[in-house]
Amino acid sequence: MATSSSTTAPGGHVNATAHSTRKRYLRRSLAASVAVAGAAIGLMSPAVAIPAAATAPTAGASALAHDPEMDWMGSTIAAHEGSAARTQVITPGVTQTPGMDVSHYQGTINWASAYSNGARFAYMKATEGTTFRDATFSANYTGSYNAGLIRGAYHFATPNSSTGAAQADYFVAHGGGWSKDGKTLPPMLDIEYGSTSTCWGLSQASMRSWITSFVNEVHAKTTRWPTIYTTTNWWTTCTGNSSAYGANDPLFIARYSTSVGALPAGWGFYTFWQYADSGTFPGDQDRFNGALSGLVNLANNT
C-alpha cells in the first residue's frame, strides 16, 4: 500500500508522491522488498485472503523487486507519457457513456454515489501475475453490481514472471470470468510499462507470443475475447505495433488528453478510453465509445 507520507488525488489515486514511492520500492534490496510486501499484505482485509506466495514472484531478482501493491490500471502511464488536459472534449453528435476503473487504492467506494454522478460501468483490478489478488476486488465487484453498474475484472500483466496462459488461468480462477447477464464486461488484460524495463525484458516477438497465449487462454476458458488495455506508444514499442488482435479483442486505449490520438495497428476504433487519472469518479476516468445500449450489448456478447 502507499506509505503514510502519500497524499490522494481527487480521483482517488495516489498522486505524484506515489510515483516517487514506487521508485524507492524498486531501489530497495531484495530482502527489503519481500519484507515490505509481506507487511502490506498484513494490512489487507481478511475477507479476501492473499496467498503467502504473493510476496515472492518466481522470475528472479528483477521480478522480486516488483511490488504488485504499487500497480493499477494506468499506474505507469503518466510517468512515461505525461498527463495533459483533464477535461475531455466530446465530439458533437457522438454518444459516449461515462465510467471508471479502480483498485485497492480507492479503499471503500460509495458505488451508489458513483452511479448517481453518472458512472454506468467500472473495471476493477482482480489479479496480477499468478499469486496476487487485489484485496478490494470482491467488495468492488459486488458493490458495483448492486448499484446498477455494468462491471468487469482486469488482470495486471507481468510478462516477465510467468507465461500468458498461466496468468490467464489465475485471472479466470480469481474473478476474471464472464456471464451473459448484461452486467458483466469481457475480462480485460492490462498490459503497460514494466517496473524494471519498458517491455518487461521481452523482445517484440516474445511479447506478441505472450499476449496471444493470454488472450487465447481467456477465450478458451470464458468464450470471450478479452479487452486489451494499453497505450499506442507502449504497443508500438513492445509489440512492433502488431495488428493481430483488432479483429477480436476490444481496445481500451489510455491517453490522458482531450482526444485519443492515433490508435494501435489493427483497431479501427476504440471501445473504451481512459482519458484522465482523476476527476468526477473514484479512480481513473473512462468512456465507453457508444450509448448505454451498446455497453449492454457488449456485456451480452452481441
Side-chain angles (χ1 to χ4, degrees):
M1 303 290 286
T3 63
S4 59
S5 62
S6 297
T7 57
T8 303
H13 279 325
V14 176
N15 66 10
T17 306
H19 292 293
S20 176
T21 302
R22 182 186 183 92
K23 292 176 182 177
R24 290 198 300 272
Y25 266 62
L26 297 176
R27 287 197 298 264
R28 288 177 178 171
S29 67
L30 170 61
S33 295
V34 173
V36 170
I41 290 173
L43 296 174
M44 294 179 181
S45 168
V48 183
I50 307 294
T55 62
T58 58
S62 62
L64 284 167
H66 180 80
D67 181 6
E69 288 289 339
M70 302 300 292
D71 298 327
W72 65 83
M73 187 176 149
S75 57
T76 69
I77 305 304
H80 287 83
E81 300 188 19
S83 183
R86 299 304 180 101
T87 302
Q88 185 193 23
V89 176
I90 303 298
T91 304
V94 175
T95 300
Q96 295 189 328
T97 304
M100 55 201 271
D101 61 84
V102 299
S103 68
H104 63 277
Y105 273 114
Q106 282 66 54
T108 301
I109 294 172
N110 187 332
W111 288 105
S113 176
Y115 185 91
S116 68
N117 286 331
R120 291 296 178 266
F121 72 90
Y123 264 108
M124 53 211 63
K125 184 177 181 180
T127 54
E128 179 171 335
T130 57
T131 55
F132 183 85
R133 296 164 63 186
D134 191 284
T136 61
F137 173 71
S138 292
N140 286 336
Y141 205 65
T142 302
S144 58
Y145 181 94
N146 290 340
L149 281 78
I150 299 173
R151 83 287 194 252
Y154 76 82
H155 175 82
F156 191 98
T158 56
N160 64 335
S161 67
S162 54
T163 67
Q167 293 196 27
D169 287 339
Y170 186 76
F171 176 42
V172 172
H174 297 289
W178 176 77
S179 300
K180 189 175 182 179
D181 55 6
K183 299 278 286 184
T184 306
L185 294 169
M188 184 165 70
L189 171 64
D190 172 0
I191 187 122
E192 53 185 278
Y193 298 92
S195 57
T196 56
S197 69
T198 295
C199 301
W200 299 89
L202 273 64
S203 67
Q204 291 177 343
S206 294
M207 185 63 76
R208 292 192 297 269
S209 295
W210 193 98
I211 294 170
T212 297
S213 175
F214 184 97
V215 301
N216 285 348
E217 185 71 2
V218 168
H219 182 261
K221 291 292 178 66
T222 69
T223 74
R224 292 306 309 267
W225 291 107
T227 301
I228 294 178
Y229 167 92
T230 193
T231 75
T232 300
N233 181 69
W234 185 92
W235 192 261
T236 300
T237 301
C238 297
T239 75
N241 205 20
S242 172
S243 61
Y245 306 92
N248 293 318
D249 301 281
L251 174 65
F252 201 136
I253 191 72
R255 186 169 188 259
Y256 302 157
S257 187
T258 56
S259 67
V260 296
L263 299 179
W267 283 285
F269 63 92
Y270 66 91
T271 300
F272 297 97
W273 173 21
Q274 183 189 77
Y275 65 90
D277 55 8
S278 65
T280 302
F281 311 124
D284 299 309
Q285 313 299 292
D286 306 325
R287 292 274 175 175
F288 169 74
N289 192 16
L292 180 60
S293 59
L295 190 66
V296 173
N297 287 341
L298 179 64
N300 278 324
N301 196 26
T302 57

